[in-house]
Amino acid sequence: MSTPPDLRTRKRLATRRAITLAADRLFRERGFEHVTVDEIATAADVGRMTVFNHFPRKEDMFFDRDEEGREILREALRQQEPGVSPIETLRRLAHRLVAEQAPFVQFSAGSEGFVETVERSETLKARARAIRDELAGMVAAALAESAGKDVDDPAAHLAAGLLLATWTVAFLQAHRSLRRSRDATEAKAVFLAIIDQGTIGLKAAMEGTPYA
């Protein structure tokens, strides 16, 4: 008798979660560069090939929420309210994610450890830059789709690049605030203030386009 699809899915997700938890613990304890895939497999009590079935690259285990974050951005643009511009939709999304304490915009000891692990690893910094570039391309395509424009619309790509720059600066400055003050509330305020300020500039830059 075959395993029901929903049970198979739950087992797969549980295995994936066990791998990411083991990897995260080892990366933070010893640094990304000093942990092997075999050690992660042992810590998660799975085989080496099982790890690669879930994560083609070691850095994918660290940035394991990447695809989830992309889907949240896509969905926000698909579901934007009538009369609300794409740029404003994403500003409101930032505020909603902070209010909901989404893992992407948490400012805590855990998120601080995440940032510090990236800063200590050239491999992770390179992957973070690549993810940012991939996100810019994805956001540009989603913006163009939301406005009924061609995927190569230059204005969509400009808006996406400025948007990713704003979110990146906001995220890093919020964590610098957290390191200095140890105040998560202040860090959130810094993040949202930069998002709001960047959005004002972005709307001005994109005036006359369907994205503003």
Side-chain angles (χ1 to χ4, degrees), residues 79-102:
Q79 301 296 327
Q80 69 187 63
E81 299 175 23
V84 179
S85 72
I87 291 171
E88 175 62 17
T89 294
L90 294 178
R91 186 193 72 83
R92 294 182 185 185
L93 172 65
H95 280 260
R96 178 167 63 82
L97 291 175
V98 169
E100 294 174 352
Q101 301 186 58

Side-chain angles (χ1 to χ4, degrees), residues 153-165:
D153 180 29
H157 284 269
L158 175 59
L162 293 172
L163 183 79
L164 264 294

Side-chain angles (χ1 to χ4, degrees), residues 32-33 117-129:
F32 179 83
E33 313 291 358
T117 303
V118 173
E119 290 175 341
R120 292 196 302 266
S121 168
E122 293 303 319
T123 301
L124 290 178
K125 285 192 284 188
R127 181 59 188 147
R129 289 191 294 269

Side-chain angles (χ1 to χ4, degrees), residues 106-180:
Q106 282 186 357
F107 304 102
S108 62
S111 67
E112 188 175 19
F114 177 92
V115 172
E116 289 174 349
T117 303
V118 173
E119 290 175 341
R120 292 196 302 266
S121 168
E122 293 303 319
T123 301
L124 290 178
K125 285 192 284 188
R127 181 59 188 147
R129 289 191 294 269
I131 288 173
R132 185 177 60 193
D133 291 344
E134 292 165 9
L135 276 171
M138 184 277 293
V139 170
L143 285 170
E145 180 183 358
S146 73
K149 295 289 186 177
D150 185 82
V151 69
D152 293 323
D153 180 29
H157 284 269
L158 175 59
L162 293 172
L163 183 79
L164 264 294
T166 297
W167 282 56
T168 299
V169 171
F171 183 79
L172 294 177
Q173 289 299 321
H175 272 95
R176 290 191 179 108
S177 171
L178 181 65
R179 287 178 185 175
R180 183 179 60 255

